[in-house]
Amino acid sequence: MCGTGGSEAGRAGQVTSGAVTDQQVADQRVAGGGPQDVLLAADGRRYVSPAPLARDLRSADARDRPSRNDSLTSQLSSVIGGPVGDHALIGRARFWTPVRVLMLFSVLFLAFGWFGKAGCLQQTTTAEGALTLDWNNSRQYVAMCYSDTVPLYGAERLNEGAFPYKKAWVEKNPDGTAEIRYMEYPVLSGLYQYLSMRIAKMWDALPLPGALQVVIYFNVVAVGLALAWLITVWASAMMCGRRIWDAALIACSPLVIAHIFTNFDALATALAATGLLAWARRRPVLAGVLLGLGGAAKLYPLLLLGPIVVLCLRADPMAHPHRQAMRLRDIDGLPALGRWLRETPYRTAIFATRPLGSGVLTVGAALGTWAAVNLPIALLFRPGWREFFRLNTARHADPDSLYNVITSFTGWAGFDGDLGHAEQPIVLNMVSLLAFVTACVVIAYIGLTAPRRPRLAQLCFLVIAAFLLTNKVWSPQYSLWLVPIAVLALPHRRILLAWMTVDALVWVPRMYYYLGLDHKGLPEQWFTATVLVRDLVVVGLCALVVYQIYRPASDLVRRDFVDDPIGGVVDGAPDPRRPWLPEGLRPRLARV
């Protein structure tokens, strides 16, 4: 990205302009130079380097150099010495490697994110002298520091030390009715909150610097989320291949400042990114386990299984590889059964050599892992476990959904009309589900019939974007789901930076809309207008991704004979010579 670590290599790459004789070479060695200081040209002449050469003269010449080919990055690099030198040995830096620079950027922007929420951690005393949070005069909205973590500490009864999904309480609704409530988050997110609460209470009980328990709890949660985001950046960088500096857009995203500590979504992004990395490294079972864990934290990592299966369906030749392992029909007793079980790793390895076999292993491992995490809670605390699904079914259209945007500008009463707080929007649920399923069918059709097989990141981005656009809920922190996969799918820096900035700025009218007109807040249409702009930008990104699927020559990732850095078993795999899919689902010939 810049010239870090390139000065020594640059000096080593410079040579004197004239050829030297054997006597001059000998004089140079006597003067202190060594054999490594003599360069042999293609025409047989030898040159003397003015400075000692680097020990390793290899250079990662295929690595993308944004400081040289991107005007925005080139201007930014002037802060630390300008673009990388012409003679720099790329990839030979001893300390400031790309990953370490990315980690530094990530920590810096995570710090900005924490300071953005710090205003809501201020403490004050009540009239009775008790210590409490200073949210007076709607500080959480005026300072735009609101985080779900703080109010949920009391709302989910974590302050009582209660175990999630076991603890129940009665909550009064705005319409005067009451209902029994439980922890509203998926199992892994709920257990993370419980563990953070136990650490916060332990800290509070020890003779350590003190604060309100909710403040300690927020900071414990923030440390875990920061580590999860660092893992997200690292895994994404590993998947960028020769374009490793694209991951700087993840580390330095404005959405990190706005929403990394708004909720617990960084847990899911870390598991989704590492799951895709495992798939890229042809570890289908590990990929499934990580995606299954991600689905137990937030549901969206399970959506990534769809693109994996689609690409495996397209690439699989449906030819069974030769194998010598025992078959089920050969089991005729306990010794044979024992042999069959011992051969399971071998059968799995053989099965994983096929694209469709890898896809099946990943899906099976993901669903099995999700079930293994959820089953104990579902059996022991069934009402609490069902709360997440019940609440999502009963929720009405959130203020930041497209359905509410239409209502805001037209006065439309919605698909279900005026509903009470506890009434389920049955028609809205059905429309939202059908819209998403339709979008997935279209994406699958594109993946199967495009002239060249799309990259996995492209289809994953389309699926996640379709889910957010068609869903009745788009909480602000959900935009973090798109950040890593957008960088992998569409690494156009200015375009992505513009989208991330627009999406992050939606937070401003959102907070002032929640402030209310009585407290000099903004009208609803100011907020919904910015939501509409955000959605249109995301639709535009989807259009660009589809365009590059059908015009792969415009895809920056696929330059220099690269196919799919995260494709795993389908990376570089041609379409089957004997297509087995129906005629309507086979690849189309590219237009001339």
Side-chain angles (χ1 to χ4, degrees):
M1 183 176 183
C2 61
T4 55
S7 58
E8 177 184 349
R11 292 193 304 270
Q14 298 171 355
V15 296
T16 55
S17 59
V20 294
T21 65
D22 291 341
Q23 183 59 43
Q24 289 173 317
V25 171
D27 293 341
Q28 171 71 12
R29 293 179 179 176
V30 171
Q36 72 275 16
D37 300 321
V38 180
L39 302 181
L40 183 64
D43 58 4
R45 293 183 297 177
R46 286 172 290 181
Y47 295 81
V48 176
S49 172
L53 297 177
R55 292 183 178 179
D56 192 340
L57 296 180
R58 292 176 299 169
S59 179
D61 294 325
R63 181 182 294 172
D64 180 63
R65 308 178 189 184
S67 65
R68 304 288 293 183
N69 56 32
D70 182 79
S71 59
L72 176 63
T73 310
S74 179
Q75 295 173 19
L76 292 175
S77 68
S78 63
V79 178
I80 51 174
V84 64
D86 293 333
H87 302 289
L89 296 181
I90 306 299
R92 310 317 310 171
R94 297 178 180 177
F95 184 82
W96 286 117
T97 61
V99 172
R100 289 177 178 175
V101 174
L102 292 173
M103 292 296 104
L104 177 63
F105 287 163
S106 299
V107 170
L108 181 62
F109 274 71
L110 288 168
F112 290 156
W114 186 88
F115 281 115
K117 304 300 183 185
C120 286
L121 304 180
Q122 302 297 315
Q123 301 174 156
T124 187
T125 54
T126 63
E128 293 78 18
L131 197 62
T132 184
L133 282 178
D134 185 6
W135 281 25
N136 298 323
N137 302 316
S138 300
R139 174 194 286 268
Q140 67 273 30
Y141 302 132
V142 175
M144 295 181 288
C145 59
Y146 176 82
S147 170
D148 288 335
T149 308
V150 175
L152 284 176
Y153 188 66
E156 302 288 356
R157 303 306 190 266
L158 292 169
N159 60 327
E160 300 176 9
F163 183 78
Y165 314 107
K166 179 180 180 181
K167 175 71 176 182
W169 64 92
V170 177
E171 188 173 284
K172 290 186 178 180
N173 298 322
D175 57 2
T177 60
E179 61 181 345
I180 300 177
R181 292 292 309 276
Y182 296 88
M183 164 68 71
E184 64 185 60
Y185 282 85
V187 171
L188 208 59
S189 294
L191 295 179
Y192 176 74
Q193 295 176 60
Y194 177 74
L195 177 62
S196 300
M197 175 268 291
R198 298 310 308 176
I199 295 175
K201 287 186 175 294
M202 184 186 305
W203 180 286
D204 191 40
L206 294 174
L208 296 170
L212 286 170
Q213 270 192 18
V214 66
V215 175
I216 301 173
Y217 170 75
F218 173 85
N219 287 317
V220 172
V221 168
V223 170
L225 295 178
L227 292 175
W229 190 252
L230 290 174
I231 293 173
T232 303
V233 174
W234 169 80
S236 301
M238 295 298 99
M239 290 186 285
C240 286
R242 66 182 183 85
R243 299 185 58 87
I244 190 171
W245 289 114
D246 288 342
L249 287 171
I250 307 173
C252 304
S253 172
L255 285 167
V256 174
I257 300 176
H259 299 312
I260 188 61
F261 301 128
T262 298
N263 206 279
F264 310 97
D265 294 70
L267 301 176
T269 65
L271 291 167
T274 51
L276 288 178
L277 178 60
W279 173 262
R281 295 183 174 179
R282 306 195 179 199
R283 303 283 299 278
V285 175
L286 178 59
V289 169
L290 292 170
L291 292 176
L293 290 173
K298 290 281 184 176
L299 207 55
Y300 98 90
L302 294 179
L303 300 178
L304 305 180
L305 297 174
I308 290 175
V309 171
V310 167
L311 295 181
C312 289
L313 282 171
R314 172 168 175 158
D316 198 282
M318 295 304 289
H320 297 280
H322 177 71
R323 61 182 181 183
Q324 299 177 349
M326 214 177 155
R327 299 177 184 272
L328 278 173
R329 64 171 177 261
D330 299 328
I331 299 176
D332 56 3
L334 289 178
L337 176 61
R339 177 187 169 189
W340 185 86
L341 292 174
R342 289 192 300 271
E343 290 179 349
T344 298
Y346 172 74
R347 277 192 305 274
T348 301
I350 293 296
F351 194 54
T353 59
R354 290 180 52 190
L356 193 55
S358 291
V360 170
L361 288 174
T362 299
V363 172
L367 297 181
T369 302
W370 183 88
V373 173
N374 281 266
L375 191 59
I377 302 299
L379 293 177
L380 295 174
F381 314 110
R382 184 172 179 80
W385 177 78
R386 293 181 60 231
E387 180 72 359
F388 167 74
F389 303 97
R390 184 199 69 81
L391 184 65
N392 280 276
T393 302
R395 291 179 73 169
H396 300 173
D398 266 19
D400 37 17
S401 67
L402 273 175
Y403 310 103
N404 183 67
V405 170
I406 298 173
T407 297
S408 174
F409 286 104
T410 65
W412 175 53
F415 291 107
D416 299 274
D418 294 328
L419 297 175
H421 178 79
E423 295 181 274
Q424 290 189 10
I426 298 176
V427 179
L428 175 60
N429 290 341
M430 185 62 64
V431 169
S432 176
L433 177 61
L434 289 177
F436 177 59
V437 170
T438 301
C440 288
V441 170
V442 173
I443 295 168
Y445 180 80
I446 293 173
L448 292 173
T449 63
R452 181 175 177 181
R453 175 178 40 78
R455 292 187 292 109
L456 177 59
Q458 292 173 322
L459 293 189
C460 289
F461 176 82
L462 293 176
V463 168
I464 298 173
F467 177 78
L468 293 175
L469 290 168
T470 59
N471 198 19
K472 63 180 181 179
V473 178
W474 186 334
S475 296
Q477 69 276 2
Y478 288 1
S479 296
L480 288 172
W481 303 355
L482 283 172
V483 172
I485 204 66
V487 171
L488 295 171
L490 189 73
H492 290 266
R493 299 177 182 93
R494 291 190 177 189
I495 295 175
L496 291 184
L497 188 59
W499 156 63
M500 294 175 189
T501 302
V502 169
D503 203 329
L505 289 177
V506 174
W507 186 246
V508 178
R510 179 193 303 274
M511 291 291 96
Y512 277 86
Y513 162 60
Y514 288 164
L515 182 62
L517 294 175
D518 295 341
H519 297 87
K520 298 182 180 180
L522 291 175
E524 180 183 14
Q525 286 74 22
W526 285 62
F527 166 53
T528 51
T530 58
V531 170
L532 181 60
V533 172
R534 186 269 315 274
D535 291 349
L536 291 175
V537 173
V538 173
V539 171
L541 294 179
C542 293
L544 284 174
V545 170
V546 173
Y547 175 83
Q548 292 192 356
I549 288 176
Y550 285 96
R551 300 290 187 274
S554 62
D555 187 353
L556 297 178
V557 175
R558 278 186 156 159
R559 293 183 178 178
D560 297 332
F561 307 101
V562 173
D563 181 36
D564 188 355
I566 69 170
V569 71
V570 302
D571 179 27
D575 291 323
R577 293 183 178 181
R578 297 180 180 179
W580 65 275
L581 289 169
E583 182 66 30
L585 297 179
R586 295 176 185 173
R588 302 291 187 267
L589 294 176
R591 294 180 181 179
V592 180

